[in-house]
Amino acid sequence: MLHPLRTLRRAARTVAAGAVALLLPLAGAATASADQAAGATAGAGYWHTSGRQILDSGNQPVRIAGINWFGFETANYVAHGLWSRDYKSMIDQMRSLGYNTIRLPYSDDIFAGTDPASINFSGGMNGDLQGLDSLQVMDRIVDHAGSVGMKVILDRHRPDSAGQSALWYTAAVPESTWLANLKSLAARYAGNDAVVGIDLHNEPHDPACWGCGDTTKDWRLAAQRGGEAVLSANPDLLIFVEGVQTYDGVSGWWGGNLMGVAQYPVELSVPNRVVYSAHDYATSVAQQPWFSDASFPANMPGVWDKYWGYIFKQNIAPVWVGEFGTTLQSATDQKWLKALADYLRPTDQYGGDSFSWTFWSWNPNSGDTGGILKDDWTSVDTVKDGYLASIKAPGFGDGGSDGGGDDTEAPTAPTGLTVTGTTASSVSLSWQAASDDTGVTGYDVYRGATKAGTTTGTTYTDTGVTAGTSYTYTVRARDAAGHTSTPSASVTATTTGTGGNTGCTAAYTVNGDWGSGFGVDVTVTNTGTSAATSWKLTWTYGGDQKITNMWNAAYTQTGAAVTVTNTDYNGSLAAGAHTSFGFQGTPAAGAVPTVSCTLS
């Protein structure tokens, strides 16, 4: 998708009216059952294809159910939003919402040692990104995604940050540069199975052709050259190949026309590596003839069958809808998104025997679609996210390879946690060292649910506390592979002096209710006169409401009773300050409960 820098418009895309939709049989792979979908977590290691399915290293079917996080392809030369958030908290939030894969667009500019712009380092935010170039920041994003069980698909989105190109090369960025950079990127992540593949070029369009034989325009032939370059450096990667705009006189979305695959499939020297990628959008991007068809939205499955769905249905290869999105403002767009989600196949019915996808976009600053995040880069558009609930899929375990080799064991829990001293403004702790098969690299100290800090030793002094207040601490050990231990036994410490902060309000706002589910935003405000280091909310539902997922907070629910506590990055609230979190639940919202709020 085209999205100039942090500005917000893109030109409408004109397409010719399509031919009558083909009626295509469902053939090939057997349908996965819901029982299979609920089985062991899939996604281990590198992936390969078999017919229309993507399989992990243990031959379990995998469904990519992910999100696009753009920015490396722009003149910021880094994923957007880091001016507001820590990159780890963003990735953790993606995972908490049920997205299991990140599509990460980039341009060839980043291979020239570009310096990322607009990263916020205040208060320790993004601290481990300071001094890094764009590719090194990408390394950190990949590593953290892998450590929390997410996969990454790298997307060559633009030749340079100035804008998209119809062909895979330009006068300034020739094919030789494209191939060299694809090979370099594949080699960079060789051995790190958090990166499962590369999308060779974003949205080829006219004059790009498919199967025409002109090596300067035939995207299918170019994709074969690009795929071979990637596989020469890392034969384990998947090769994601988008379509074109026009085939045999029939036009569609940029990159969304894969009609030519039936006669001219992409053929590579390493078998079982090709995944075809379609893009599909709603009227907020551009008007298309099928939206004004009298039978809309019932006509849409036939449209999708014609352009790309037949590849999956005829068991030719897997299909990944690498981009689809909408502002969701019009009734037409709402019907389109509902129809597309149904077409992509519900996970609870089909499991991994389904179309894969990455929604456009995580970013709110995509002008013609908006994002899953709202403009504050924290709150979630729960209505939009709710449309995707049926096609989300499980994450991929405890993470891919992230520098820890074959290490699969977490460290032992630290023992002997002791309070060694308190003052009005600090708590000092010590503990016995944990053990690990490859060595402990550090410890995370938790004050309640809040991560108070990290250390490489076995002592820590917490200074983020208030006089005359009790705190509970635990410690977790961490190894080089990113595995963390179970928590130590807890200890309680009470700071000296008098103090504390009890002034707190919480505004509970239902922002969406679609009958079978609902979304809520909650704003917590410190109304006291002194700073707080943590907060807790409680409420009791009057019906059978059940929280299904939450972001920017942690929760427990026992029957109708709910307790919510802060995360490690939003517990501290200055006097008068506020923070927000959100969640989704089922079935309908019901009456707004009375929320109690306390600070410490």
Side-chain angles (χ1 to χ4, degrees):
M1 183 173 184
L2 192 153
H3 34 71
L5 306 185
R6 292 174 57 191
T7 58
L8 310 174
R9 298 307 308 161
R10 90 171 179 187
R13 298 167 174 180
T14 57
V15 298
V20 176
L22 304 177
L23 297 177
L24 299 163
L26 179 63
T31 299
S33 68
D35 290 340
Q36 288 173 306
T41 300
Y46 284 106
W47 299 346
H48 59 283
T49 69
S50 177
R52 69 189 188 186
Q53 292 188 339
I54 300 173
L55 305 178
D56 68 8
S57 60
N59 289 320
Q60 291 192 88
V62 168
R63 181 174 210 179
I64 298 167
I67 195 78
N68 284 271
W69 186 14
F70 67 76
F72 276 101
E73 81 285 17
T74 73
N76 290 80
Y77 304 122
V78 73
H80 282 179
L82 302 189
W83 51 77
S84 294
R85 297 271 303 276
D86 184 88
Y87 76 97
K88 291 180 181 177
S89 75
M90 290 248 254
I91 294 169
D92 292 347
Q93 186 181 16
M94 293 175 196
R95 184 178 187 271
S96 74
L97 289 171
Y99 299 102
N100 63 24
T101 303
I102 302 170
R103 180 176 182 254
L104 207 58
Y106 70 88
S107 82
D108 290 76
D109 283 349
I110 67 172
F111 295 92
T114 51
D115 291 325
S118 302
I119 300 180
N120 189 342
F121 299 115
S122 63
M125 188 186 303
N126 298 305
D128 59 340
L129 304 185
Q130 284 190 290
L132 304 185
D133 66 24
S134 297
L135 278 171
Q136 290 168 331
V137 173
M138 183 180 284
D139 293 342
R140 296 294 174 91
I141 289 175
V142 166
D143 285 346
H144 188 71
S147 75
V148 299
M150 296 183 75
K151 298 288 191 178
V152 176
I153 298 168
L154 302 173
D155 158 45
R156 196 280 192 143
H157 209 77
R158 300 174 173 178
D160 56 53
S161 63
Q164 284 181 227
S165 62
L167 300 172
W168 55 97
Y169 63 91
T170 63
V173 184
E175 178 174 307
S176 59
T177 300
W178 172 63
L179 294 174
N181 290 340
L182 286 174
K183 187 173 181 178
S184 172
L185 202 60
R188 186 180 190 91
Y189 295 110
N192 185 345
D193 59 25
V195 176
V196 291
I198 298 179
D199 187 341
L200 297 177
H201 179 61
N202 186 66
E203 296 184 349
H205 52 279
D206 296 347
C209 60
W210 190 289
C212 66
D214 181 342
T215 56
T216 66
K217 297 179 181 178
D218 192 330
W219 167 236
R220 177 252 186 177
L221 294 178
Q224 292 182 162
R225 297 191 294 274
E228 294 294 357
V230 170
L231 295 173
S232 69
N234 186 350
D236 293 316
L237 291 178
L238 294 177
I239 305 300
F240 294 91
V241 181
E242 299 185 30
V244 292
Q245 179 182 358
T246 304
Y247 177 78
D248 199 23
V250 178
S251 292
W253 294 109
W254 289 1
N257 189 335
L258 287 158
M259 294 170 62
V261 170
Q263 185 174 357
Y264 302 105
V266 172
E267 298 175 335
L268 300 173
S269 59
V270 181
N272 304 317
R273 292 292 180 271
V274 175
V275 178
Y276 292 103
S277 175
H279 288 189
D280 202 89
Y281 280 99
T283 60
S284 62
V285 172
Q287 188 60 242
Q288 306 284 14
W290 43 82
F291 294 129
S292 56
D293 189 291
S295 63
F296 177 85
N299 64 317
M300 292 309 302
V303 173
W304 295 319
D305 280 347
K306 176 181 68 175
Y307 283 108
W308 43 269
Y310 77 94
I311 298 171
F312 176 88
K313 292 187 174 183
Q314 294 183 7
N315 202 36
I316 296 169
V319 174
W320 168 58
V321 184
E323 289 184 19
F324 63 107
T326 166
T327 58
L328 211 60
Q329 295 303 302
S330 72
T332 298
D333 285 25
Q334 294 162 16
K335 292 176 182 178
W336 166 85
L337 186 55
K338 174 64 167 62
L340 182 55
D342 290 344
Y343 182 83
L344 296 181
R345 314 184 96 190
T347 303
D348 63 359
Q349 184 176 355
Y350 294 99
D353 187 34
S354 306
F355 293 92
S356 286
W357 56 273
T358 44
F359 188 72
W360 188 275
S361 63
W362 180 246
N363 310 45
N365 58 322
S366 180
D368 45 12
T369 65
I372 290 298
L373 290 187
K374 296 182 180 180
D375 287 342
D376 63 2
W377 282 95
T378 299
S379 304
V380 175
D381 185 333
T382 53
V383 174
K384 187 180 291 187
D385 185 62
Y387 275 84
L388 307 175
S390 66
I391 57 173
K392 290 180 180 178
F396 306 121
D398 293 328
S401 166
D402 60 355
D406 295 325
D407 181 10
T408 59
E409 292 186 25
T412 61
T415 58
L417 179 61
T418 303
V419 179
T420 59
T422 60
T423 69
S425 59
S426 68
V427 174
S428 296
L429 305 165
S430 70
W431 56 90
Q432 299 297 315
S435 61
D436 182 68
D437 56 339
T438 60
V440 173
T441 58
Y443 296 90
D444 298 327
V445 180
Y446 285 84
R447 180 195 325 114
T450 301
K451 185 188 290 185
T454 61
T455 179
T456 57
T458 57
T459 61
Y460 182 79
T461 298
D462 180 16
T463 57
V465 294
T466 302
T469 305
S470 294
Y471 299 96
T472 300
Y473 291 90
T474 56
V475 178
R476 292 175 180 258
R478 182 172 13 88
D479 66 14
H483 304 305
T484 56
S485 72
T486 56
S488 68
S490 64
V491 296
T492 299
T494 301
T495 53
T496 60
T498 59
N501 191 340
T502 58
C504 178
T505 62
Y508 180 111
T509 305
V510 178
N511 61 26
D513 190 337
W514 49 95
S516 61
F518 65 98
V520 171
D521 290 326
V522 181
T523 299
V524 181
T525 303
N526 180 355
T527 58
T529 58
S530 59
T533 57
S534 63
W535 48 264
K536 180 172 75 172
L537 310 183
T538 58
W539 67 81
T540 300
Y541 282 119
D544 57 355
Q545 290 83 7
K546 179 73 73 173
I547 296 174
T548 56
N549 63 82
M550 182 174 290
W551 47 96
N552 297 331
Y555 77 96
T556 58
Q557 182 171 0
T558 304
V562 177
T563 299
V564 179
T565 55
N566 56 274
T567 67
D568 58 356
Y569 54 82
N570 66 0
S572 297
L573 286 179
H578 67 271
T579 189
S580 299
F581 67 92
F583 63 89
Q584 290 177 319
T586 60
V592 173
T594 300
V595 181
S596 297
C597 178
T598 58
L599 301 176
S600 60

